[in-house]
Amino acid sequence: MSDVTHAVAHLAEHVPGVPVMLLASMAALAATAGFRTRWTRRHGHAPPTDDTGSRPPSAPAAGSGAGAGAGSGAGAGIGNDTAATTASDGRADDGGEGVDSALWRMRTTVRDAPGSLAALCAALAERRVDILSLQTHPLAEGTVDEFLLRAPGELTATELVEVVSAAGGADTWTERADAHDLVDAPTRVLALAARTAQDAAELPLALRQLLGRCTIRSLPAAAGGRPGGEVPPEGSLEDTVLRLRAPEGGVITVERPYLPFTPAEFARARALVELDARLGPRLPRSRDVLTLAEGSDITVRRADTRDVPAAKAMHERCSARTLGMRYHGPVGDADRYLNHLLSPRFGRTLAAQTASGRIVGLGHLLWDGDETEVALLVEDAWQHRGIGGELLGRLVAMAAETDCASVYAVTQASNTGMVAAMRGLGLPLDYQIEEGTLVITARLDSASRAAARLPQGQRIGRD
Protein backbone atom coordinates (compact mmCIF):
# COMPACT_ATOMS: atom_id res chain seq x y z
CA MET A 1 0.00 0.00 0.00
CA SER A 2 1.42 3.42 -0.95
CA ASP A 3 1.99 6.18 1.63
CA VAL A 4 -0.93 8.17 0.18
CA THR A 5 -3.36 5.23 0.20
CA HIS A 6 -2.30 4.25 3.71
CA ALA A 7 -2.76 7.80 5.02
CA VAL A 8 -6.24 8.11 3.49
CA ALA A 9 -7.27 4.75 4.93
CA HIS A 10 -5.98 5.83 8.35
CA LEU A 11 -7.99 9.05 8.14
CA ALA A 12 -11.14 7.15 7.16
CA GLU A 13 -10.71 4.88 10.18
CA HIS A 14 -10.07 7.61 12.76
CA VAL A 15 -12.35 10.40 11.52
CA PRO A 16 -15.85 8.86 11.26
CA GLY A 17 -18.27 10.44 8.85
CA VAL A 18 -15.79 11.79 6.30
CA PRO A 19 -17.32 11.08 2.84
CA VAL A 20 -15.43 8.89 0.41
CA MET A 21 -15.43 11.65 -2.21
CA LEU A 22 -13.93 14.00 0.34
CA LEU A 23 -11.17 11.53 1.13
CA ALA A 24 -10.46 11.27 -2.55
CA SER A 25 -10.17 15.04 -2.83
CA MET A 26 -7.78 15.00 0.13
CA ALA A 27 -5.60 12.51 -1.71
CA ALA A 28 -5.65 14.82 -4.71
CA LEU A 29 -4.63 17.67 -2.46
CA ALA A 30 -1.72 15.57 -1.25
CA ALA A 31 -0.56 15.03 -4.82
CA THR A 32 -0.06 18.77 -5.12
CA ALA A 33 1.62 19.19 -1.76
CA GLY A 34 3.03 22.55 -0.76
CA PHE A 35 5.04 24.46 1.74
CA ARG A 36 4.22 26.09 5.04
CA THR A 37 2.20 29.13 6.11
CA ARG A 38 1.74 31.73 8.67
CA TRP A 39 -1.74 32.98 9.66
CA THR A 40 -2.32 36.65 10.46
CA ARG A 41 -5.89 37.33 11.40
CA ARG A 42 -7.97 40.44 11.66
CA HIS A 43 -6.74 42.80 14.40
CA GLY A 44 -3.25 41.37 13.93
CA HIS A 45 -3.85 37.96 15.54
CA ALA A 46 -1.73 35.21 13.99
CA PRO A 47 -0.45 31.73 14.81
CA PRO A 48 3.20 31.30 15.65
CA THR A 49 5.77 31.06 12.88
CA ASP A 50 7.77 27.92 13.39
CA ASP A 51 8.91 27.50 9.86
CA THR A 52 10.79 29.01 7.01
CA GLY A 53 9.74 32.24 5.47
CA SER A 54 9.71 34.08 2.24
CA ARG A 55 12.92 36.04 2.21
CA PRO A 56 14.42 38.48 -0.24
CA PRO A 57 17.90 37.41 -1.37
CA SER A 58 19.17 40.92 -0.70
CA ALA A 59 18.56 40.68 3.07
CA PRO A 60 21.09 38.20 4.50
CA ALA A 61 20.19 36.16 7.54
CA ALA A 62 22.78 35.97 10.28
CA GLY A 63 25.54 33.63 9.32
CA SER A 64 23.80 32.13 6.32
CA GLY A 65 23.73 34.55 3.43
CA ALA A 66 20.03 33.81 2.89
CA GLY A 67 17.34 36.46 3.13
CA ALA A 68 15.77 37.62 6.38
CA GLY A 69 12.25 36.54 7.35
CA ALA A 70 9.25 38.65 6.47
CA GLY A 71 5.93 39.20 8.18
CA SER A 72 4.86 40.59 11.53
CA GLY A 73 1.81 41.07 13.67
CA ALA A 74 0.58 42.68 16.85
CA GLY A 75 -0.50 41.01 20.04
CA ALA A 76 0.41 37.58 21.20
CA GLY A 77 1.65 34.79 18.87
CA ILE A 78 5.09 33.31 18.51
CA GLY A 79 7.89 33.94 16.06
CA ASN A 80 10.81 31.62 15.48
CA ASP A 81 12.92 32.00 12.37
CA THR A 82 14.41 28.71 11.30
CA ALA A 83 18.12 28.88 12.06
CA ALA A 84 20.83 27.56 9.82
CA THR A 85 20.97 23.85 10.53
CA THR A 86 23.23 20.99 9.64
CA ALA A 87 21.83 17.97 7.86
CA SER A 88 21.05 15.12 10.20
CA ASP A 89 23.69 12.88 8.69
CA GLY A 90 26.18 15.74 8.88
CA ARG A 91 28.13 14.57 5.81
CA ALA A 92 28.00 14.93 2.05
CA ASP A 93 29.44 12.46 -0.42
CA ASP A 94 32.42 14.12 -2.03
CA GLY A 95 34.34 11.14 -3.24
CA GLY A 96 35.53 9.92 0.13
CA GLU A 97 36.53 13.20 1.78
CA GLY A 98 33.73 13.94 4.25
CA VAL A 99 32.72 17.54 4.89
CA ASP A 100 29.88 19.15 6.81
CA SER A 101 26.68 19.49 4.82
CA ALA A 102 23.56 21.60 5.11
CA LEU A 103 19.98 21.39 3.88
CA TRP A 104 18.58 24.16 1.70
CA ARG A 105 15.19 24.93 0.26
CA MET A 106 15.38 26.74 -3.05
CA ARG A 107 12.90 28.10 -5.57
CA THR A 108 13.90 29.34 -9.00
CA THR A 109 12.28 30.04 -12.37
CA VAL A 110 13.58 28.33 -15.51
CA ARG A 111 12.61 28.54 -19.17
CA ASP A 112 9.96 26.04 -20.27
CA ALA A 113 12.24 24.47 -22.87
CA PRO A 114 13.82 21.02 -23.27
CA GLY A 115 17.10 20.76 -21.38
CA SER A 116 16.61 23.81 -19.12
CA LEU A 117 16.06 21.82 -15.96
CA ALA A 118 18.77 19.32 -16.92
CA ALA A 119 21.32 22.13 -17.26
CA LEU A 120 20.41 23.42 -13.82
CA CYS A 121 20.70 19.97 -12.23
CA ALA A 122 24.07 19.42 -13.89
CA ALA A 123 25.37 22.74 -12.53
CA LEU A 124 24.30 21.75 -9.00
CA ALA A 125 25.95 18.35 -9.37
CA GLU A 126 29.23 20.03 -10.30
CA ARG A 127 29.21 21.74 -6.90
CA ARG A 128 28.42 18.41 -5.14
CA VAL A 129 24.84 19.54 -4.39
CA ASP A 130 22.43 16.62 -3.95
CA ILE A 131 18.79 17.13 -5.02
CA LEU A 132 16.61 15.41 -2.41
CA SER A 133 13.23 16.45 -3.80
CA LEU A 134 11.80 18.55 -6.63
CA GLN A 135 8.38 20.07 -7.30
CA THR A 136 7.41 21.99 -10.42
CA HIS A 137 4.90 24.84 -10.81
CA PRO A 138 4.03 25.47 -14.48
CA LEU A 139 3.40 29.10 -15.36
CA ALA A 140 2.18 30.78 -18.53
CA GLU A 141 5.82 31.49 -19.34
CA GLY A 142 8.48 29.33 -17.74
CA THR A 143 8.33 26.99 -14.76
CA VAL A 144 8.94 27.58 -11.06
CA ASP A 145 10.94 24.70 -9.58
CA GLU A 146 11.19 24.04 -5.84
CA PHE A 147 14.14 22.02 -4.56
CA LEU A 148 15.20 20.47 -1.28
CA LEU A 149 18.99 20.30 -1.49
CA ARG A 150 21.87 18.88 0.51
CA ALA A 151 24.94 20.99 -0.16
CA PRO A 152 28.51 21.10 1.16
CA GLY A 153 28.63 23.12 4.37
CA GLU A 154 31.01 25.71 2.96
CA LEU A 155 28.64 26.63 0.11
CA THR A 156 26.95 29.93 0.97
CA ALA A 157 23.54 31.15 -0.16
CA THR A 158 25.16 33.73 -2.42
CA GLU A 159 27.30 31.08 -4.09
CA LEU A 160 24.29 28.79 -4.51
CA VAL A 161 22.31 31.58 -6.20
CA GLU A 162 25.28 32.32 -8.49
CA VAL A 163 25.45 28.67 -9.57
CA VAL A 164 21.74 28.61 -10.34
CA SER A 165 21.80 31.95 -12.18
CA ALA A 166 24.71 30.84 -14.36
CA ALA A 167 22.71 27.73 -15.31
CA GLY A 168 19.68 29.75 -16.41
CA GLY A 169 17.66 30.12 -13.18
CA ALA A 170 16.00 33.45 -12.40
CA ASP A 171 14.26 35.05 -9.41
CA THR A 172 16.00 32.53 -7.14
CA TRP A 173 14.99 32.29 -3.47
CA THR A 174 16.92 30.22 -0.92
CA GLU A 175 16.61 29.39 2.75
CA ARG A 176 18.16 26.91 5.14
CA ALA A 177 15.99 23.84 5.75
CA ASP A 178 15.93 21.30 8.56
CA ALA A 179 15.08 17.64 9.11
CA HIS A 180 11.33 18.38 9.08
CA ASP A 181 11.57 19.24 5.39
CA LEU A 182 12.72 15.69 4.62
CA VAL A 183 9.13 14.43 4.99
CA ASP A 184 7.74 13.79 1.52
CA ALA A 185 5.12 16.27 0.32
CA PRO A 186 2.11 13.88 -0.03
CA THR A 187 2.59 12.60 3.53
CA ARG A 188 2.86 16.14 4.89
CA VAL A 189 -0.29 17.35 3.16
CA LEU A 190 -2.34 14.31 4.13
CA ALA A 191 -1.31 14.97 7.73
CA LEU A 192 -2.49 18.57 7.38
CA ALA A 193 -5.81 17.38 5.93
CA ALA A 194 -6.26 14.87 8.76
CA ARG A 195 -5.59 17.53 11.41
CA THR A 196 -7.99 19.93 9.74
CA ALA A 197 -10.66 17.22 9.50
CA GLN A 198 -10.54 16.63 13.25
CA ASP A 199 -10.37 20.22 14.49
CA ALA A 200 -11.56 23.45 12.84
CA ALA A 201 -8.93 25.38 14.82
CA GLU A 202 -6.22 23.67 12.77
CA LEU A 203 -7.05 25.45 9.49
CA PRO A 204 -4.89 28.54 10.18
CA LEU A 205 -1.95 26.39 11.26
CA ALA A 206 -2.38 24.03 8.33
CA LEU A 207 -2.43 26.93 5.87
CA ARG A 208 0.76 28.27 7.35
CA GLN A 209 2.52 24.94 6.93
CA LEU A 210 1.14 24.59 3.42
CA LEU A 211 2.24 27.97 2.06
CA GLY A 212 5.20 29.17 4.13
CA ARG A 213 5.48 32.25 6.31
CA CYS A 214 2.60 34.48 5.23
CA THR A 215 0.41 37.24 6.54
CA ILE A 216 -3.13 35.84 6.64
CA ARG A 217 -6.17 37.92 7.52
CA SER A 218 -9.75 36.82 8.01
CA LEU A 219 -12.42 39.42 7.28
CA PRO A 220 -16.05 38.79 8.27
CA ALA A 221 -18.80 38.73 5.66
CA ALA A 222 -19.73 42.35 6.30
CA ALA A 223 -16.18 43.42 5.39
CA GLY A 224 -15.63 40.85 2.67
CA GLY A 225 -15.51 43.33 -0.17
CA ARG A 226 -12.31 44.91 -1.43
CA PRO A 227 -11.40 47.74 -3.79
CA GLY A 228 -12.30 46.69 -7.30
CA GLY A 229 -15.13 44.34 -6.36
CA GLU A 230 -15.85 41.33 -4.18
CA VAL A 231 -13.81 38.13 -4.26
CA PRO A 232 -15.29 35.65 -6.78
CA PRO A 233 -16.48 32.25 -5.50
CA GLU A 234 -13.36 30.53 -6.86
CA GLY A 235 -11.08 33.08 -5.18
CA SER A 236 -8.42 35.25 -6.77
CA LEU A 237 -4.63 35.22 -7.18
CA GLU A 238 -2.64 38.40 -7.66
CA ASP A 239 1.12 37.88 -7.53
CA THR A 240 1.99 37.87 -3.80
CA VAL A 241 -1.67 38.01 -2.62
CA LEU A 242 -4.35 35.35 -2.79
CA ARG A 243 -7.94 35.64 -1.59
CA LEU A 244 -10.37 32.84 -0.77
CA ARG A 245 -13.96 32.65 0.41
CA ALA A 246 -13.84 31.77 4.12
CA PRO A 247 -15.82 28.66 5.23
CA GLU A 248 -17.90 30.73 7.67
CA GLY A 249 -18.40 33.59 5.19
CA GLY A 250 -16.19 36.56 4.54
CA VAL A 251 -12.74 36.41 2.96
CA ILE A 252 -9.36 34.90 3.82
CA THR A 253 -6.50 37.03 2.48
CA VAL A 254 -2.98 35.60 2.29
CA GLU A 255 0.02 37.82 1.56
CA ARG A 256 3.63 36.69 1.11
CA PRO A 257 6.11 39.48 0.35
CA TYR A 258 9.05 38.73 -1.96
CA LEU A 259 7.78 35.32 -3.09
CA PRO A 260 4.80 35.29 -5.50
CA PHE A 261 2.26 32.51 -5.21
CA THR A 262 1.99 30.05 -8.06
CA PRO A 263 -1.30 28.72 -9.48
CA ALA A 264 -0.48 25.32 -7.96
CA GLU A 265 -0.11 26.84 -4.46
CA PHE A 266 -3.37 28.73 -4.95
CA ALA A 267 -5.14 25.49 -5.88
CA ARG A 268 -3.72 23.69 -2.83
CA ALA A 269 -4.84 26.41 -0.43
CA ARG A 270 -8.30 26.51 -2.02
CA ALA A 271 -8.63 22.71 -1.66
CA LEU A 272 -7.72 22.83 2.03
CA VAL A 273 -10.22 25.64 2.74
CA GLU A 274 -12.89 23.73 0.80
CA LEU A 275 -12.23 20.65 2.93
CA ASP A 276 -12.74 22.72 6.06
CA ALA A 277 -15.97 24.20 4.70
CA ARG A 278 -17.44 20.80 3.78
CA LEU A 279 -16.82 19.34 7.23
CA GLY A 280 -18.45 22.26 9.08
CA PRO A 281 -18.02 23.14 12.79
CA ARG A 282 -16.12 20.48 14.75
CA LEU A 283 -13.93 20.06 17.80
CA PRO A 284 -11.98 17.16 19.27
CA ARG A 285 -14.20 15.20 21.61
CA SER A 286 -11.66 14.67 24.39
CA ARG A 287 -12.27 16.05 27.85
CA ASP A 288 -10.61 15.64 31.24
CA VAL A 289 -12.40 15.33 34.57
CA LEU A 290 -10.31 16.97 37.29
CA THR A 291 -10.76 16.81 41.05
CA LEU A 292 -10.12 20.13 42.75
CA ALA A 293 -8.35 20.37 46.11
CA GLU A 294 -11.71 20.81 47.85
CA GLY A 295 -13.03 17.60 46.29
CA SER A 296 -15.29 19.00 43.54
CA ASP A 297 -15.04 17.55 40.02
CA ILE A 298 -14.56 19.88 37.06
CA THR A 299 -14.53 18.89 33.40
CA VAL A 300 -12.08 20.70 31.10
CA ARG A 301 -12.81 20.60 27.37
CA ARG A 302 -12.37 22.58 24.17
CA ALA A 303 -14.99 25.23 23.42
CA ASP A 304 -16.11 27.18 20.34
CA THR A 305 -18.82 29.58 19.22
CA ARG A 306 -21.53 27.04 20.01
CA ASP A 307 -20.73 27.78 23.68
CA VAL A 308 -21.49 31.52 23.34
CA PRO A 309 -24.90 31.26 25.14
CA ALA A 310 -23.32 29.42 28.09
CA ALA A 311 -20.45 31.92 28.19
CA LYS A 312 -22.91 34.84 28.25
CA ALA A 313 -24.72 33.17 31.13
CA MET A 314 -21.42 32.98 33.01
CA HIS A 315 -20.88 36.70 32.34
CA GLU A 316 -24.21 37.40 34.02
CA ARG A 317 -23.05 35.55 37.14
CA CYS A 318 -19.72 37.39 37.26
CA SER A 319 -19.26 40.61 39.23
CA ALA A 320 -18.48 43.89 37.48
CA ARG A 321 -15.00 43.82 39.04
CA THR A 322 -14.24 40.35 37.61
CA LEU A 323 -15.43 41.34 34.13
CA GLY A 324 -13.49 44.60 34.31
CA MET A 325 -10.30 42.75 35.25
CA ARG A 326 -10.71 40.47 32.25
CA TYR A 327 -11.88 42.79 29.46
CA HIS A 328 -10.27 46.13 30.43
CA GLY A 329 -13.26 48.10 29.18
CA PRO A 330 -16.94 48.84 29.84
CA VAL A 331 -18.54 45.83 31.49
CA GLY A 332 -21.57 46.16 29.22
CA ASP A 333 -19.37 45.36 26.21
CA ALA A 334 -18.13 42.02 27.56
CA ASP A 335 -20.62 39.89 25.59
CA ARG A 336 -19.52 41.48 22.31
CA TYR A 337 -16.09 39.84 22.52
CA LEU A 338 -17.30 36.26 22.83
CA ASN A 339 -17.86 35.41 19.15
CA HIS A 340 -14.30 36.46 18.37
CA LEU A 341 -12.74 34.84 21.45
CA LEU A 342 -14.52 31.53 20.93
CA SER A 343 -13.86 31.31 17.19
CA PRO A 344 -11.33 28.60 16.30
CA ARG A 345 -10.06 30.93 13.54
CA PHE A 346 -8.39 33.18 16.10
CA GLY A 347 -7.06 30.68 18.63
CA ARG A 348 -8.18 27.97 21.01
CA THR A 349 -10.48 28.09 24.01
CA LEU A 350 -10.78 25.79 27.00
CA ALA A 351 -13.91 25.68 29.16
CA ALA A 352 -14.22 24.44 32.74
CA GLN A 353 -17.70 23.15 33.51
CA THR A 354 -19.45 21.59 36.46
CA ALA A 355 -21.13 18.19 36.55
CA SER A 356 -24.40 19.92 35.61
CA GLY A 357 -22.81 21.37 32.46
CA ARG A 358 -22.55 24.98 33.68
CA ILE A 359 -19.43 26.79 32.39
CA VAL A 360 -17.58 28.41 35.29
CA GLY A 361 -14.26 29.25 33.64
CA LEU A 362 -12.84 30.11 30.21
CA GLY A 363 -9.24 30.19 29.05
CA HIS A 364 -8.20 31.63 25.69
CA LEU A 365 -5.06 31.14 23.61
CA LEU A 366 -4.99 33.87 20.92
CA TRP A 367 -2.56 33.90 18.00
CA ASP A 368 -1.09 37.38 17.80
CA GLY A 369 1.93 38.18 15.65
CA ASP A 370 5.25 37.15 17.17
CA GLU A 371 3.80 36.32 20.55
CA THR A 372 0.72 34.49 21.85
CA GLU A 373 -1.77 35.96 24.28
CA VAL A 374 -3.35 33.97 27.09
CA ALA A 375 -6.44 35.18 28.95
CA LEU A 376 -8.57 33.75 31.77
CA LEU A 377 -12.01 34.36 33.22
CA VAL A 378 -13.29 32.39 36.24
CA GLU A 379 -16.70 32.95 37.77
CA ASP A 380 -16.51 34.65 41.19
CA ALA A 381 -17.95 31.71 43.14
CA TRP A 382 -15.31 29.38 41.66
CA GLN A 383 -12.24 31.55 42.07
CA HIS A 384 -9.25 30.56 44.25
CA ARG A 385 -9.87 26.84 43.69
CA GLY A 386 -7.09 26.23 41.16
CA ILE A 387 -9.28 26.38 38.03
CA GLY A 388 -7.45 29.35 36.52
CA GLY A 389 -4.05 27.78 37.07
CA GLU A 390 -5.21 24.50 35.52
CA LEU A 391 -6.59 26.24 32.42
CA LEU A 392 -3.49 28.41 32.06
CA GLY A 393 -1.11 25.46 32.29
CA ARG A 394 -2.97 23.61 29.56
CA LEU A 395 -3.10 26.68 27.30
CA VAL A 396 0.64 27.22 27.65
CA ALA A 397 1.26 23.54 26.92
CA MET A 398 -0.75 23.96 23.70
CA ALA A 399 1.32 27.01 22.79
CA ALA A 400 4.51 25.05 23.39
CA GLU A 401 3.28 22.27 21.10
CA THR A 402 3.02 24.80 18.24
CA ASP A 403 6.61 25.97 18.89
CA CYS A 404 5.64 29.32 20.37
CA ALA A 405 8.58 31.26 21.77
CA SER A 406 6.59 33.06 24.48
CA VAL A 407 3.12 33.82 25.78
CA TYR A 408 1.87 36.97 27.45
CA ALA A 409 -1.06 38.01 29.64
CA VAL A 410 -2.50 41.53 29.88
CA THR A 411 -3.97 42.29 33.28
CA GLN A 412 -3.90 44.75 36.17
CA ALA A 413 -1.41 44.80 39.01
CA SER A 414 -4.31 44.29 41.42
CA ASN A 415 -5.28 41.02 39.71
CA THR A 416 -3.33 38.85 42.12
CA GLY A 417 -5.01 35.67 40.87
CA MET A 418 -3.66 36.07 37.33
CA VAL A 419 -0.22 37.07 38.60
CA ALA A 420 -0.12 33.99 40.83
CA ALA A 421 -1.26 31.73 37.98
CA MET A 422 1.53 33.01 35.71
CA ARG A 423 4.11 32.55 38.46
CA GLY A 424 2.77 29.04 39.03
CA LEU A 425 3.88 27.99 35.54
CA GLY A 426 7.47 27.81 36.68
CA LEU A 427 8.64 29.66 33.56
CA PRO A 428 10.93 32.72 33.29
CA LEU A 429 8.71 35.82 33.46
CA ASP A 430 9.11 39.44 32.35
CA TYR A 431 6.91 42.19 33.79
CA GLN A 432 6.11 45.46 32.03
CA ILE A 433 3.64 48.27 32.63
CA GLU A 434 2.04 49.48 29.40
CA GLU A 435 -0.62 52.20 29.37
CA GLY A 436 -1.53 51.51 32.97
CA THR A 437 -1.84 47.75 32.56
CA LEU A 438 0.50 44.95 33.56
CA VAL A 439 1.90 42.73 30.80
CA ILE A 440 3.46 39.45 31.98
CA THR A 441 5.45 37.49 29.40
CA ALA A 442 6.57 33.88 29.88
CA ARG A 443 9.39 32.48 27.75
CA LEU A 444 8.89 29.02 26.22
CA ASP A 445 12.38 28.03 25.07
CA SER A 446 13.32 24.36 25.35
CA ALA A 447 15.26 24.74 28.60
CA SER A 448 12.44 26.71 30.24
CA ARG A 449 9.78 24.18 29.19
CA ALA A 450 11.85 21.31 30.56
CA ALA A 451 11.89 22.92 34.00
CA ALA A 452 8.33 24.26 33.92
CA ARG A 453 5.34 22.93 35.83
CA LEU A 454 3.09 22.40 32.82
CA PRO A 455 0.48 19.62 32.67
CA GLN A 456 2.04 16.32 31.66
CA GLY A 457 0.30 14.16 29.08
CA GLN A 458 -2.38 16.80 28.59
CA ARG A 459 -5.14 15.50 26.34
CA ILE A 460 -7.30 18.55 25.75
CA GLY A 461 -7.74 19.09 22.04
CA ARG A 462 -6.82 15.51 21.11
CA ASP A 463 -9.01 12.53 20.25
Side-chain angles (χ1 to χ4, degrees):
M1 179 181 292
S2 69
D3 289 343
V4 172
T5 304
H6 184 274
V8 172
H10 178 80
L11 180 60
E13 178 182 354
H14 293 280
V15 187
V18 178
V20 173
M21 291 184 63
L22 186 54
L23 291 172
S25 69
M26 292 164 60
L29 174 64
T32 56
F35 284 68
R36 309 179 176 187
T37 77
R38 170 180 184 172
W39 174 274
T40 300
R41 300 183 313 272
R42 194 176 174 218
H43 306 308
H45 291 303
T49 50
D50 65 346
D51 72 286
T52 75
S54 44
R55 301 181 172 185
S58 59
S64 73
S72 63
I78 299 322
N80 168 1
D81 283 351
T82 304
T85 56
T86 300
S88 57
D89 60 6
R91 299 288 170 184
D93 183 3
D94 69 87
E97 184 179 350
V99 295
D100 289 339
S101 64
L103 295 176
W104 290 91
R105 292 196 306 148
M106 182 182 76
R107 174 181 287 201
T108 191
T109 302
V110 299
R111 293 184 303 109
D112 188 10
S116 297
L117 180 57
L120 177 58
C121 294
L124 292 172
E126 288 181 2
R127 295 300 300 268
R128 307 193 313 277
V129 178
D130 186 16
I131 300 174
L132 303 180
S133 68
L134 168 65
Q135 294 186 66
T136 61
H137 299 250
L139 303 177
E141 296 183 4
T143 301
V144 173
D145 292 325
E146 292 180 348
F147 296 85
L148 178 62
L149 306 172
R150 180 184 285 114
E154 72 273 10
L155 187 67
T156 67
T158 300
E159 292 172 332
L160 183 58
V161 171
E162 290 174 351
V163 170
V164 172
S165 298
D171 299 323
T172 302
W173 168 89
T174 62
E175 185 178 53
R176 291 290 186 124
D178 59 28
H180 296 90
D181 294 297
L182 293 172
V183 177
D184 70 281
T187 299
R188 183 192 306 131
V189 175
L190 277 172
L192 295 179
R195 284 169 42 189
T196 302
Q198 295 181 67
D199 186 351
E202 291 289 339
L203 179 62
L205 303 175
L207 281 172
R208 186 196 67 210
Q209 291 187 1
L210 183 69
L211 295 173
R213 184 179 298 119
C214 303
T215 298
I216 307 181
R217 295 183 176 88
S218 179
L219 300 179
R226 62 181 179 89
E230 294 187 354
V231 177
E234 67 276 11
S236 65
L237 170 61
E238 302 170 4
D239 197 32
T240 60
V241 179
L242 63 84
R243 294 179 175 87
L244 298 166
R245 291 288 183 91
E248 67 279 7
V251 175
I252 295 173
T253 301
V254 187
E255 300 181 44
R256 186 173 65 188
Y258 314 115
L259 192 61
F261 293 107
T262 66
E265 288 178 310
F266 175 59
R268 295 165 186 169
R270 187 171 59 190
L272 192 59
V273 173
E274 182 181 354
L275 167 65
D276 182 87
R278 290 187 182 186
L279 293 176
R282 62 207 177 278
L283 282 179
R285 297 182 295 274
S286 295
R287 54 186 63 205
D288 284 350
V289 178
L290 310 174
T291 301
L292 303 179
E294 64 181 36
S296 301
D297 286 341
I298 288 291
T299 298
V300 180
R301 62 172 176 82
R302 286 280 300 280
D304 64 9
T305 52
R306 290 170 291 186
D307 293 292
V308 167
K312 288 182 177 180
M314 184 183 73
H315 277 178
E316 294 175 359
R317 298 191 298 270
C318 289
S319 66
R321 180 179 183 277
T322 292
L323 293 177
M325 287 280 192
R326 167 62 186 89
Y327 294 109
H328 316 291
V331 173
D333 291 341
D335 288 355
R336 295 174 50 199
Y337 304 122
L338 289 175
N339 280 310
H340 179 88
L341 292 172
L342 291 170
S343 171
R345 300 291 178 244
F346 306 123
R348 297 177 183 175
T349 298
L350 294 180
Q353 67 180 38
T354 64
S356 64
R358 172 184 290 185
I359 291 180
V360 296
L362 290 172
H364 306 286
L365 184 71
L366 300 171
W367 311 132
D368 194 0
D370 292 333
E371 294 177 333
T372 297
E373 183 179 0
V374 288
L376 298 173
L377 177 64
V378 178
E379 185 179 326
D380 294 65
W382 289 85
Q383 293 176 7
H384 309 298
R385 303 190 191 187
I387 294 176
E390 183 66 35
L391 292 175
L392 181 62
R394 292 172 180 273
L395 293 171
V396 173
M398 287 181 179
E401 287 180 350
T402 57
D403 293 328
C404 291
S406 64
V407 298
Y408 75 83
V410 180
T411 185
Q412 300 175 21
S414 58
N415 190 349
T416 56
M418 188 65 184
V419 174
M422 291 292 288
R423 293 182 62 184
L425 295 171
L427 293 167
L429 301 178
D430 296 326
Y431 300 85
Q432 292 183 343
I433 298 292
E434 295 185 4
E435 299 180 356
T437 60
L438 175 64
V439 179
I440 309 174
T441 302
R443 297 198 305 274
L444 296 179
D445 55 79
S446 299
S448 299
R449 293 200 300 266
R453 295 184 289 275
L454 300 179
Q456 299 298 314
Q458 73 93 14
R459 295 178 285 126
I460 296 298
R462 298 181 181 275
D463 279 326

